[in-house]
Amino acid sequence: MIGPRIDLSEPGGIAVALLPELILTGWCLVLMLAVAWRHRDEEDQRFVGHLALIALVTTLVAVVWFWIRDVGPVGLEVMVALDGFRYASATIFLLGGILAVMLSLGYLGRERMVVPEYYLLLLLATVGMMFMGGGADLIVIFLGLELMSVSVYVLAGINRRSVFAAEAALKYFLLGAFASAFFLYGIALIYGSTGSTNLTFIYVQVTSLGLESNLMLSVGVGMLLVGFGFKVAAVPFHMWTPDVYDGAPTPVTAFMAAAVKAAGFVALIRVLLQGLAPADAVWTEAVWWLAAITMVVGNLIALAQRHLKRMLAYSSIGHAGYLLTAVASGTELGAAALLYYVFAYTLMTVGAFAILAASGRGGEREVLIDDFSGLAQRRPWLAFAMTVFMLSLLGFPGTAGFIGKWYILSAAVDADQAVLAVVLVGASIVSAGYYLPVIMAMYMKPPISEAAHETTRVGGAARWVVGATAALLLLFGVWPNRALDVARDGSRQLTPDVMVTVSR
Amino acid sequence: MSGTEAVFWFFAAVAIISAFLCITRRSPVASALWLVSTLFALAAIFVLLDAHFIAAIQVLVYAGAIMVLFLFVIMLLNLGRAGPTDMLGWAGRLVMFAVGALLVVELWVLVRIVPAEELQLPTGAMVQLTEQEGAVRVISEPLFRGFLVPFEITSILLLAAIVGAVVLAKRKL
């Protein structure tokens, strides 16, 4: 069955194709009015938060509708893509947004932060991510990246009473601007060598003009990789990550570690597969090394951390390495593995940060892994959920994290990158050294004091976040087939299916 | 050396010297004024490339409006006087020169690459197009037709930046 086809060469067609983004942007404007109208106390803030939740859910409905009807383009994709990959990635971003909003509903009140604009910026960042995942043109992807980044810079520093949040925001802003400059320079060089910023057209030009090893194109791709490397926190461009993740409010950290990273990877693999697939000799090697170094360094430094928030920050660097392995394979199987892993990773990261947010006060910078001692005696369900998140991050069989890693491994082996697969397995074994102590502390050590865990509480919407993410991780761990099929369908034909006649 | 080439080298030299002075002056006001001079020289180079409209916009927006904004901020924050230097030590300078040298090498390599023949416009095509359609239309046609989507996304981006700036700068939340 072939779904509706939209002609992207005329304005009406573009407007229909951008319907989900338009809905969410429209809601952003509504939220702005709501903030201007009511912005005094915690009650107003919760009202805006609920509006944001409605906004994300309605957008999700629109995306899923596009997906089910299998809406596609007539001919060339101009500016926006209309494929399963866009719908799948948008679903993941919206899910991440919904989870982050639900976490924030209780958190902001507890930390006495009354900034209703918080939800507006969260929505704007989500719009940016949707443009990153759905752009068929380098300019659209860049603007999406900037929209997301600008919103997240502010979100990182939104707690103005915290020095660490201010440091996080400034550091993130400066290094992010630096990365954006690299990104833009890369786009300019790619434009200079191919004469286009449209991904499919770049593909055609590279093939028909024989630019596979063109020097200007190679330098451009290298610059682009540096820019993406900063955004997804790949070693050696990861220096900002621990401080920024540490200083930002915990729901924002969860949003950054899950959705922002997912958006970077989705855009990266779209650019590489849809636009630069013929020039894969240029980037495969570079991504291979990035993946290997990121996995090794991220996991080794995480071993040395005693604070849970920093440990999760370094663990997210390690996970960037796993995802880069999927990218390095350079196949549609790799893209499918990436989609599945990003989905699972979003669930487990948000879940872990939700429990961290429940256990601490004042930004959770001081929560040690040992502070979880005896949690199983006092709060058995919370300890169980945390166990699921840790095992899933580790890639333990029975959880969605295992299926995702296994899928990445099979993509790597399929692309003749067995060495990278071995590094991935080795890094996962090392990661047991910092995920398991959390579980051991919860189940095998007695509580530090009588009063321990008295204040650990997941209230209201956050309880739903923890419950739903843990349940979904277990569900997709034992019954992954449907989700794997969806991911495979989503990344089919990411590489353009065009007949290129070589003219020379 | 033809006349155009002489003009180019003159403005190129002005642009580079002013840019260098812009980053080495202690006083923020002096830096800002040297930046104006850089932007003017760049506008002249745009004219040499037959991009008259861009050159005009460069002078109006960058050398005009944006610079006034810079000076306002300098005045409002009372930064007018030369403060203590915040230049980095020798390690910082070493990195600075290394990165700069890398960029020079990169430019030197890139200049030697000839783009594919199919991508090159015939000589004088730009002038002809400008004469046919007018300097503004050459820009506006692609901006508001082909690139309408990025243009609109830019407006959302500016909205996000404004909201963010207000949230961070507001005295009382």
Side-chain angles (χ1 to χ4, degrees):
Chain A
M1 192 195 83
I2 293 174
R5 290 287 170 266
I6 297 177
D7 187 2
L8 289 170
S9 60
E10 44 187 274
I14 291 259
V16 176
L18 284 174
L19 198 62
E21 283 82 359
L22 287 176
I23 293 176
L24 196 53
T25 313
W27 272 108
C28 287
L29 302 180
V30 173
L31 246 72
M32 271 189 87
L33 288 178
V35 169
W37 174 43
R38 304 175 65 173
H39 55 90
R40 304 224 172 273
D41 54 27
E42 169 58 18
E43 202 48 45
D44 299 343
Q45 177 156 292
R46 289 184 69 84
F47 168 71
V48 178
H50 286 111
L51 269 187
L53 217 49
I54 297 173
L56 290 166
V57 171
T58 41
T59 315
L60 188 61
V61 170
V63 170
V64 171
W65 187 78
F66 267 65
W67 201 358
I68 292 174
R69 295 294 306 277
D70 193 22
V71 179
V74 177
L76 191 69
E77 287 176 333
V78 185
M79 294 300 158
V80 274
L82 283 166
D83 51 18
F85 196 73
R86 173 181 165 205
Y87 309 138
S89 58
T91 307
I92 294 173
F93 306 147
L94 289 167
L95 193 70
I98 290 172
L99 292 174
V101 169
M102 285 170 75
L103 269 189
S104 313
L105 282 175
Y107 185 88
L108 294 184
R110 199 191 75 193
E111 298 285 322
R112 295 189 203 302
M113 289 159 58
V114 183
V115 207
E117 289 90 349
Y118 175 94
Y119 295 108
L120 173 60
L121 289 164
L122 210 95
L123 290 198
L124 284 167
T126 315
V127 177
M129 289 172 195
M130 289 171 70
F131 278 120
M132 284 174 78
D137 196 287
L138 286 174
I139 298 182
V140 173
I141 292 178
F142 173 72
L143 286 171
L145 179 85
E146 279 304 284
L147 179 54
M148 175 189 82
S149 306
V150 165
S151 312
V152 175
Y153 299 149
V154 181
L155 281 177
I158 200 132
N159 185 2
R160 286 172 41 195
R161 281 190 302 276
S162 161
V163 189
F164 299 105
E167 186 201 341
L170 191 64
K171 212 173 227 176
Y172 195 24
F173 173 67
L174 289 177
L175 284 173
F178 192 56
S180 294
F182 271 100
F183 200 91
L184 260 187
Y185 199 0
I187 292 178
L189 291 178
I190 290 174
Y191 178 77
S193 54
T194 64
S196 178
T197 52
N198 182 293
L199 290 178
T200 311
F201 205 65
I202 290 174
Y203 182 98
V204 173
Q205 291 285 68
V206 171
T207 324
S208 62
L209 300 179
L211 299 171
E212 284 87 353
S213 52
N214 179 282
L215 189 59
M216 197 193 286
L217 186 75
S218 311
V219 177
V221 174
M223 295 271 182
L224 216 55
L225 281 180
V226 173
F228 271 120
F230 267 107
K231 293 294 171 186
V232 303
V235 180
F237 313 112
H238 69 291
M239 291 82 71
W240 57 273
T241 320
D243 291 336
V244 174
Y245 281 19
D246 207 28
T250 304
V252 176
T253 312
F255 188 64
M256 282 198 284
V260 171
K261 185 166 286 194
F265 273 107
V266 165
L268 172 64
I269 202 153
R270 182 186 282 282
V271 169
L272 291 184
L273 287 193
Q274 195 175 343
L276 299 165
D280 59 352
V282 173
W283 52 264
T284 309
E285 190 95 339
V287 178
W288 195 100
W289 280 106
L290 273 184
I293 298 172
T294 307
M295 281 191 282
V296 172
V297 173
N299 280 302
L300 284 182
I301 304 183
L303 271 182
Q305 305 303 318
R306 294 185 60 239
H307 291 92
L308 189 63
K309 206 171 179 182
R310 278 192 100 80
M311 186 270 264
L312 286 173
Y314 279 107
S315 118
S316 93
I317 297 176
H319 282 270
Y322 305 150
L323 288 163
L324 279 169
T325 308
V327 176
S329 73
T331 57
E332 283 167 10
L333 191 63
L338 182 110
L339 271 187
Y340 185 83
Y341 199 79
V342 157
F343 171 66
Y345 175 71
T346 301
L347 293 179
M348 52 209 189
T349 317
V350 173
F353 277 110
I355 292 190
L356 173 66
S359 65
R361 288 289 179 274
E364 288 77 39
R365 296 186 65 255
E366 305 298 328
V367 177
L368 296 170
I369 291 172
D370 288 340
D371 288 344
F372 279 79
S373 299
L375 187 70
Q377 290 176 25
R378 299 283 159 84
R379 309 236 178 251
W381 284 107
L382 216 54
F384 174 71
M386 190 62 169
T387 310
V388 172
F389 300 139
M390 288 298 131
L391 289 181
S392 188
L393 284 165
L394 172 59
F396 199 76
T399 58
F402 169 72
I403 305 288
K405 258 185 199 165
W406 176 78
Y407 208 24
I408 290 179
L409 281 178
S410 68
V413 173
D414 193 56
D416 284 332
Q417 289 172 337
V419 179
L420 209 52
V422 172
V423 175
L424 195 154
V425 174
S428 299
I429 294 171
V430 170
S431 74
Y434 57 91
Y435 290 131
L436 291 184
V438 180
I439 300 176
M440 275 159 57
M442 288 190 302
Y443 282 93
M444 296 178 183
K445 288 184 190 164
I448 303 170
S449 66
E450 275 302 304
H453 310 307
E454 280 289 301
T455 52
T456 303
R457 188 158 288 123
V458 275
R463 187 182 298 149
W464 285 97
V465 172
V466 172
T469 47
L472 282 174
L473 284 174
L474 288 177
L475 177 69
F476 287 116
V478 292
W479 180 68
N481 298 1
R482 186 80 192 93
L484 288 180
D485 288 344
V486 169
R488 205 173 299 130
D489 284 346
S491 46
R492 182 161 299 149
Q493 295 186 343
L494 195 54
T495 305
D497 180 23
V498 282
M499 294 295 288
V500 176
T501 45
V502 179
S503 55
R504 48 178 74 182
Chain B
M1 195 191 284
S2 70
T4 332
E5 217 168 303
V7 175
F8 167 77
W9 284 113
F10 173 72
F11 281 110
V14 171
I16 289 175
I17 294 170
S18 323
F20 185 75
L21 287 170
C22 169
I23 58 167
T24 47
R25 292 307 87 192
R26 286 275 178 86
S27 150
V29 177
S31 281
L33 291 176
W34 281 115
L35 187 58
V36 176
S37 152
T38 316
L39 294 173
F40 263 111
L42 283 183
I45 293 176
F46 282 136
V47 171
L48 293 181
L49 292 171
D50 293 325
H52 306 284
F53 184 65
I54 303 271
I57 291 296
Q58 168 93 0
V59 172
L60 284 178
V61 176
Y62 280 95
I66 304 252
M67 281 319 300
V68 171
L69 220 63
F70 272 11
L71 290 176
F72 262 139
V73 171
I74 291 170
M75 269 165 49
L76 284 178
L77 298 180
N78 203 9
L79 297 170
R81 272 161 270 108
T85 177
D86 55 354
M87 291 273 274
L88 296 163
W90 62 269
R93 283 179 197 216
L94 208 67
V95 173
M96 182 178 89
F97 279 111
V99 173
L102 195 70
L103 282 177
V104 170
V105 171
E106 194 218 317
L107 273 182
W108 188 78
V109 171
L110 283 179
V111 162
R112 267 150 192 74
I113 297 174
V114 185
E117 226 171 276
E118 290 87 338
L119 297 177
Q120 289 183 10
L121 285 177
T123 339
M126 197 64 204
V127 178
Q128 205 188 350
L129 196 67
T130 316
E131 271 169 11
Q132 249 170 30
E133 309 222 342
V136 180
R137 200 192 169 109
V138 172
I139 303 282
S140 60
E141 186 86 28
L143 184 62
F144 292 109
R145 272 186 206 276
F147 289 84
L148 182 63
V149 176
F151 182 79
E152 295 295 344
I153 302 175
T154 313
S155 62
I156 311 177
L157 174 61
L158 290 178
L159 182 72
I162 294 170
V163 173
V166 170
V167 168
L168 287 184
K170 215 163 35 166
R171 186 156 299 171
K172 186 176 161 292
L173 285 174

